[in-house]
Amino acid sequence: MQRQLLLDTETTGFKPNEGHRIIEFAALEMIERKLTGKFLHLYFNPERDIPAEATNVHGITIEQVENEPIFSQKVDEILQFIDGAELIIHNAKFDVSFLDHHFLACGKEKTAHYASKIIDSLTMARNKFPGGKNSLDALCDRFKIDRSNRSYHGALIDCELLAKVYLELTREQVSLLQETANHVTTATPILNQFNLANRKEPLHLVAAKINQGELNAHFHYLKTLDKLSKGDCLWYQQSKEYIDE
């Protein structure tokens, strides 16, 4: 089962190469589209000031984190938690740039070396709702997700909201996959009748020939999937050049 982590950070500013640092890190574990209850939530002393404009966003002051550990003291704990997981991040470019900077400063590899995949939910939202507002707040409003208990952009609460947003963004895709899986499982008992696992003699299979009508029917099925998934059906996109509609 693939571990997924909803991940977010809060920082002292916008660019790590200008001396800004991570002051809050949070990641929530999700498996098979359900939160497991496992999470990692840390605060850090950035060893510098926190500008007022940053505090106005996340509510964190230097007085609140000056006695917290520095990032290097907790880097191994973070790497152990994210290792092998898919990371789901809203505006991943921002958070990953900070994580990469901090990891490299600690003599570690970049984030992508440890994660199995990095999913940017902002890119997903822009593809699904082109031209619309796709901030986390805007998506919560679009999907009618309650965010009334959040007064600041804290990393942990943003991860909780992101989990709900991500499930909504991928709901249609999962429904399509489940529908396809239901059709596939109906054929399993028929295959089992041949007891293929216990055959001693070679099994000679003949490739079925597909006529143009069947090919066109399959193409139009893919076209329907592409429409339902808002243009995310890779099979349809790759097969368009071979089919005359």
Side-chain angles (χ1 to χ4, degrees), residues 97-127:
S97 70
F98 270 90
L99 289 172
D100 285 350
H101 181 91
H102 284 52
F103 288 157
L104 291 174
C106 295
K108 308 296 184 179
E109 302 290 339
K110 289 186 176 182
T111 310
H113 176 81
Y114 304 99
S116 64
K117 186 177 182 180
I118 299 174
I119 300 171
D120 187 355
S121 54
L122 177 59
T123 299
M124 293 175 61
R126 285 173 173 169
N127 290 335

Side-chain angles (χ1 to χ4, degrees), residues 9 11 13-16 90-99:
T9 64
T11 67
F14 293 108
K15 296 180 180 180
H90 202 69
N91 192 12
K93 183 178 179 180
F94 176 84
D95 298 88
V96 171
S97 70
F98 270 90
L99 289 172

Side-chain angles (χ1 to χ4, degrees), residues 115-160:
S116 64
K117 186 177 182 180
I118 299 174
I119 300 171
D120 187 355
S121 54
L122 177 59
T123 299
M124 293 175 61
R126 285 173 173 169
N127 290 335
K128 192 176 183 68
F129 307 115
K133 294 181 178 180
N134 292 302
S135 66
L136 191 59
D137 285 346
L139 291 171
C140 285
D141 293 342
R142 180 186 291 273
F143 293 127
K144 295 180 172 55
I145 296 170
D146 182 17
R147 57 184 178 89
S148 59
N149 63 339
R150 184 183 70 160
S151 54
Y152 290 104
H153 287 263
L156 186 59
I157 191 169
D158 280 5
C159 286
E160 294 171 351

Side-chain angles (χ1 to χ4, degrees), residues 6-10 24-29 38-43 60 136 150 152-163:
L6 295 308
L7 188 150
D8 189 41
T9 64
E10 299 298 340
E24 185 183 9
F25 171 94
L28 302 183
E29 184 183 72
K38 294 182 180 180
F39 67 93
L40 181 62
H41 184 212
L42 301 166
Y43 287 100
I60 302 172
L136 191 59
R150 184 183 70 160
Y152 290 104
H153 287 263
L156 186 59
I157 191 169
D158 280 5
C159 286
E160 294 171 351
L161 293 175
L162 178 56

